[in-house]
Amino acid sequence: MSAITLTSLTKRFGEVLAVEDLDLRIAEGELVALLGPSGCGKTTTLRMIAGFETPTEGSIRIAEREVAHLPPERRNCGMVFQNYALFPHLTVQENVAFGLEMRGLKRSEIRERTARILDKVGLKGLQDRRPRQLSGGQQQRTALARALVISPAVLLLDEPLANLDAKLREEMRFYIRELQREFHITTVYVTHDQAEAMVLADQIAVMMEGRLRQLGAAVDLYRRPASAEVADFVGVTNLLPGTVRDRNGSRLRLETAVGLLSAEGGERLRPGDAAWLSIRPEDLELGQADGGNQIRGTVRARAFLGNLADYRVELAGGQLVRVQTAPGARQREGDEVVLGFKPEAGWVVPR
Amino acid sequence: MGGTEVRVRLWLAVPALAVVTIFFVIPYLNLALISFYEPSHRAAYIREFTLANYRGTVLDRFTWQVVWHTVWIGAVTTAVTLVLGYPLSYKLSRASSRMKGLLMMLVISPLLVGVLIRTYGWMIILADTGLVNQLVQALHGPELPLMYNDLGVLIGLVHVYVPFMVLSLAGSLQAVDPDLERASRSLGAGAWRTFWRVTWPLSLPGVVSGVVLVFVLAESSYVIPSLLGGFTVLTVPILVIRTITELFNWPAGSAFALLFFAIILGLVWAFLEVMRRPLQRLQ
């Protein structure tokens, strides 16, 4: 019912193309994260959905209704801002009641609905405080309550956790996810933090330079990125340049500076095409290579990260790769090592 | 440690305090003293204590007519500068930083020309044979009395004090996060309701300081009312100066000046008292 459909959405600021020809459909009750580096157009897209920016071209439909030229107050979007944008001159209660008052509800109903949502987000007893008397997490909850209490058609979140400390941020990820499921509300979540997107989103839309680069579930983006940029942005990866030698089913063989390597992917690539081989640091095995690819290298640095050990290994061609392995590994700086990885762990993308 | 620091900081305030004391406090105290002396025809005053100057001023109905008229002119000037200055200031606070610098320069630029010269400029425009009337008469309109009346004085005062209002408002409006207005809009408030519920209350500190500043300046202005009012418009400063320089009655003029000072102080205090609660919400 409250699906969001963006069609050929484009926004130009003078010469700058902020969002280019964006097509995206967000199903009812789904949470889609717009993920990308700063300046990729994700926030502009969100602001166009909310009605704070007018698209240069294209259409925005919320619940099958064209809203691209409606003012924000007629779109029924619940919005949570990065800095929360709580009204400093109003109490928590008044902040949350604001949207209901604008809808002309009866006082008794406003009081009841406000009380219910404040209870829900765990702010009971704080309703008479001013925003500045709240902690960051409490302000965040107030902002969520204020956005949700109006029963919006869609919920829009603009980097809502960016201003919280790391521990609280992780808690709030799960909390927002739960709340979103419970309200079964179509949600667009803007973030530059790929871990946040992976925890929260049903689908992640990776945006770069104003364009949608890939849409998919977290595991798809991580395992089968469409390009080297996506592979690099979603998680950490090692990219080795090479040339396609031949293909056998889904398996490719790639000529690289460190020898012939087999991997998956690269569907549209043909022999002779330039390609990147993407291997995640945790897929590289240190000092053993049973039945897969082998690369020789020298350990240049290692760091102990508690739950794993992080190595930098210099390959024959001079390239440094990252290897993450169980913390017990014995290799030291300067050691000659063999790195191994299974062909299905490698992923080829066009170069 | 803390004690020495405070002492050093106090010493830093000495030059400013000295200037204020010598050029403001002492003359004012002198004025206060004179207001209790006997007037004289042979000297500025006679050093004999009397309350007659105050009694005479307070009991004179003419005093209150002029006070009322001066307060009215100040209030209208303040209201008009607020209405004109607010949208300008809002635009200024929302402009890009380069535009902001340019607009700020434009707002301040009238202050680079002296009040006297600007007032003469207005006289050229507003006089019975001035630019406006020449234009109107070329279109066979009637002769418009734009000068030597309240209208002329108000035009001159508004023109001079708009920059003060704009600068006062800009500080407060700039501190209002545009996301607050966006939040209000997305919660269902239209542009107008967003203004009254969010922007206006949050800009009140600037409104209050702008109103007080412009009102006080307008009440005490002398050059503009006397030139554009042409002595048909009587304000307290004009009357005080005429009492002193034409009637040569220093004590009566001083008494009137101090009485008016007290009245303005009372009005400003009452205004701040009214605004205290809305301002407290912002604390």
Side-chain angles (χ1 to χ4, degrees):
Chain A
M1 260 155 46
S2 295
I4 302 172
T5 314
L6 310 178
T7 315
S8 315
L9 196 61
T10 299
K11 178 69 186 180
R12 235 178 254 114
F13 293 107
E15 294 290 291
V16 184
L17 205 52
V19 177
E20 193 179 356
D21 202 22
L22 177 66
D23 290 305
L24 184 62
R25 188 176 161 80
I26 300 156
E28 157 99 40
E30 196 177 46
L31 192 156
V32 167
L34 301 181
L35 174 68
S38 59
C40 73
K42 57 190 193 297
T43 296
T44 306
T45 304
L46 193 79
R47 290 160 60 107
M48 282 194 280
I49 299 172
F52 306 143
E53 300 284 358
T54 311
T56 311
E57 277 166 52
S59 113
I60 303 166
R61 300 172 71 82
I62 297 175
E64 303 313 324
R65 183 173 68 126
E66 178 62 48
V67 298
H69 295 286
L70 289 181
E73 64 268 24
R74 293 181 51 202
R75 297 195 184 195
N76 199 22
C77 296
M79 175 101 185
V80 176
F81 294 81
Q82 180 172 353
N83 57 6
Y84 316 130
L86 297 174
F87 304 126
H89 58 307
L90 303 181
T91 62
V92 168
Q93 159 90 28
E94 290 165 333
N95 263 281
V96 175
F98 191 93
L100 299 175
E101 269 178 55
M102 293 307 132
R103 279 162 175 70
L105 297 188
K106 269 186 286 175
R107 277 196 161 195
S108 56
E109 195 184 347
I110 292 177
R111 208 170 311 127
E112 189 215 328
R113 279 173 72 170
T114 308
R116 201 176 337 134
I117 195 92
L118 285 175
D119 195 16
K120 168 113 258 153
V121 300
L123 289 173
K124 207 177 181 177
L126 298 178
Q127 62 269 27
D128 294 325
R129 295 244 187 126
R130 292 299 173 73
R132 79 173 56 91
Q133 298 168 309
L134 300 176
S135 71
Q138 288 165 340
Q139 290 183 26
Q140 169 74 80
R141 284 159 193 265
T142 309
L144 278 166
R146 186 178 69 174
L148 286 169
V149 76
I150 59 173
S151 313
V154 299
L155 181 63
L156 307 175
L157 303 138
D158 184 11
E159 305 249 10
L161 305 181
N163 292 345
L164 298 177
D165 62 69
K167 224 179 182 115
L168 191 56
R169 190 153 58 217
E170 281 193 33
E171 263 173 51
M172 287 302 287
R173 282 176 192 163
F174 289 100
Y175 179 74
I176 289 178
R177 183 64 176 145
E178 259 175 58
L179 216 55
Q180 188 266 339
R181 287 248 168 88
E182 194 177 326
F183 282 77
H184 192 65
I185 183 168
T186 313
T187 302
V188 184
Y189 189 107
V190 163
T191 180
H192 66 271
D193 181 338
Q194 45 98 12
E196 205 168 292
M198 289 170 106
V199 170
L200 277 155
D202 297 306
Q203 297 234 76
I204 299 172
V206 181
M207 291 185 72
M208 279 168 187
E209 291 162 341
R211 307 205 67 131
L212 177 63
R213 289 298 171 88
Q214 193 171 1
L215 175 69
V219 65
D220 295 331
L221 298 184
Y222 195 76
R223 282 286 149 219
R224 288 179 291 282
S227 65
E229 287 120 310
V230 173
D232 200 33
F233 193 76
V234 180
V236 177
T237 198
N238 297 300
L239 290 168
L240 306 182
T243 310
V244 177
R245 160 77 74 85
D246 54 28
R247 171 191 290 283
N248 182 5
S250 69
R251 188 130 323 164
L252 285 175
R253 285 202 301 170
L254 214 60
E255 199 89 68
T256 72
V258 291
L260 201 58
L261 303 171
S262 328
E264 308 262 319
E267 280 141 24
R268 275 167 303 183
L269 293 176
R270 285 176 304 175
D273 285 350
W276 290 109
L277 172 61
S278 160
I279 322 159
R280 300 289 177 185
E282 69 274 18
D283 290 329
L284 282 168
E285 284 175 271
L286 206 54
Q288 58 193 84
D290 29 316
N293 299 292
Q294 283 187 33
I295 316 173
R296 298 199 164 274
T298 313
V299 174
R300 286 294 172 223
R302 81 169 181 170
F304 173 68
L305 299 180
N307 54 345
L308 44 80
D310 195 23
Y311 283 85
R312 314 247 155 182
V313 176
E314 188 180 334
L315 304 184
Q319 188 176 3
L320 278 175
V321 294
R322 276 178 81 174
V323 181
Q324 289 184 339
T325 180
R330 286 182 307 258
Q331 285 78 359
R332 294 163 183 279
E333 281 167 40
D335 284 1
E336 300 268 334
V337 292
V338 175
L339 299 176
F341 69 96
K342 300 195 177 72
E344 55 271 30
W347 183 255
V348 178
V349 290
R351 177 153 64 102
Chain B
M1 272 301 279
T4 2
E5 253 173 60
V6 169
R7 224 165 293 147
V8 169
R9 256 182 257 152
L10 281 178
W11 277 111
L12 291 175
V14 165
L17 273 175
V19 169
V20 169
T21 310
I22 294 167
F23 294 103
F24 185 76
V25 175
I26 290 175
Y28 242 86
L29 287 175
N30 190 33
L31 205 68
L33 213 57
I34 294 171
S35 72
F36 290 107
Y37 286 153
E38 288 272 9
S40 159
H41 292 295
R42 272 162 292 150
Y45 45 81
I46 300 169
R47 290 175 193 275
E48 262 172 51
F49 181 82
T50 176
L51 287 173
N53 301 312
Y54 283 98
R55 197 184 308 124
T57 310
V58 171
L59 292 179
D60 190 347
R61 292 189 66 184
F62 185 60
T63 300
W64 296 104
Q65 277 172 26
V66 175
V67 165
W68 165 246
H69 195 213
T70 311
V71 168
W72 180 82
I73 284 178
V76 173
T77 301
T78 308
V80 174
T81 52
L82 180 60
V83 170
L84 291 180
Y86 203 101
L88 178 56
S89 200
Y90 185 82
K91 195 76 199 157
L92 192 71
S93 69
R94 294 290 183 272
S96 66
S97 58
R98 201 191 308 162
M99 271 304 278
K100 203 175 280 177
L102 190 72
L103 285 170
M104 204 61 116
M105 271 302 293
L106 286 174
V107 168
I108 296 172
S109 60
L111 301 178
L112 300 175
V113 180
V115 178
L116 199 61
I117 292 164
R118 276 191 286 166
T119 308
Y120 279 126
W122 276 116
M123 292 172 82
I124 292 168
I125 295 169
L126 300 177
D128 290 349
T129 54
L131 284 177
V132 175
N133 270 313
Q134 280 179 27
L135 193 72
V136 171
Q137 270 145 44
L139 300 166
H140 305 290
E143 190 183 286
L144 300 174
L146 300 173
M147 218 174 80
Y148 298 141
N149 55 20
D150 285 343
L151 182 64
V153 174
L154 286 172
I155 291 173
L157 288 174
V158 165
H159 172 236
V160 172
Y161 295 129
V162 157
F164 293 90
M165 183 61 89
V166 169
L167 293 180
S168 295
L169 292 170
S172 273
L173 277 168
Q174 216 155 317
V176 178
D177 184 350
D179 273 348
L180 294 176
E181 294 167 336
R182 294 193 189 105
S184 164
R185 296 292 294 270
S186 79
L187 288 166
W192 194 239
R193 278 213 277 185
T194 294
F195 174 74
W196 284 114
R197 292 291 303 269
V198 178
T199 316
W200 173 258
L202 291 174
S203 67
L204 277 182
V207 172
V208 169
S209 63
V211 162
V212 169
L213 184 67
V214 170
F215 181 71
V216 168
L217 287 172
E219 288 306 306
S220 60
S221 61
Y222 172 71
V223 172
I224 295 163
S226 50
L227 288 181
L228 287 170
F231 294 107
T232 64
V233 178
L234 262 187
T235 65
V236 173
I238 292 175
L239 197 58
V240 166
I241 289 185
R242 282 169 75 174
T243 307
I244 290 173
T245 60
E246 289 172 24
L247 303 178
F248 211 61
N249 191 340
W250 278 78
S254 305
F256 194 11
L258 285 169
L259 182 70
F260 189 60
F261 171 74
I263 290 168
I264 297 304
L265 206 62
L267 286 174
V268 168
W269 176 82
F271 175 70
L272 291 177
E273 201 55 27
V274 169
M275 296 309 290
R276 207 173 59 171
R277 293 207 60 166
L279 283 178
Q280 251 168 6
R281 303 214 76 190
L282 304 176
Q283 293 304 300

